[in-house]
Amino acid sequence: MDEQQLEMMRQMQEQQDAGPGPLFYIFYFAFIGAMIAGLWKTFAKAGEPGWAAIVPFYNVYIMTKIIGRPAWWVVLALIPCVNFIALFIIGIDMAKSFGKGTGFGIGLALLGPVFYAILGFGDAQYQGPAAASGGAAAA
């Protein structure tokens, strides 16, 4: 290797060691803030404490409570591979609990920050636990 290649490799290593820049952190904190705000408002609409959105594991328990699933579903949400299926079902039941369709529930599972913000700040009203009534939201 010549001197120029070594210098380029040194510069690349320095850039990697520096870590992400400030722009990354701005977007990261905006993303986290949007996620918390949407979930907070969604919990509040369902009559649950909004602060539960920021407590790990407890927020999943509150979701299962809102949709009418048993508390042991929190364990399903923690098991690798099973959690994908459980979180899809939780998302679909959450959407139905607010009078939305299955497509919206899939959106909650795949793009949670966006769809929970739509659910929390939109005009959707909590209609009762969807899972307790066999999948159909209570009127």
Side-chain angles (χ1 to χ4, degrees), residues 2 4 14 30 35 37 46-47 49 52 58 73 81-82 98 107:
D2 65 356
Q4 186 179 13
E14 287 174 9
M35 187 169 56
Y58 184 62
W73 271 66
C81 298
V82 175
F98 281 89

Side-chain angles (χ1 to χ4, degrees), residues 44-139:
K45 276 188 176 184
E48 296 295 334
W51 57 263
I54 60 175
V55 181
F57 307 114
Y58 184 62
N59 58 10
V60 179
Y61 168 72
I62 294 297
M63 284 184 201
T64 60
K65 190 174 167 185
I66 289 171
I67 65 173
R69 294 275 176 195
W72 56 264
W73 271 66
V74 175
V75 176
L76 291 178
L78 298 175
I79 299 172
C81 298
V82 175
N83 61 355
F84 292 116
I85 298 166
L87 292 176
F88 265 89
I89 293 170
I90 288 171
I92 291 169
D93 285 347
M94 183 71 79
K96 289 181 179 180
S97 295
F98 281 89
K100 302 286 187 180
T102 303
F104 195 89
I106 293 171
L108 285 171
L110 294 176
L111 293 170
V114 174
F115 280 83
Y116 275 108
I118 293 170
L119 196 60
F121 291 104
D123 61 352
Q125 296 296 316
Y126 182 62
Q127 299 178 354
S133 59

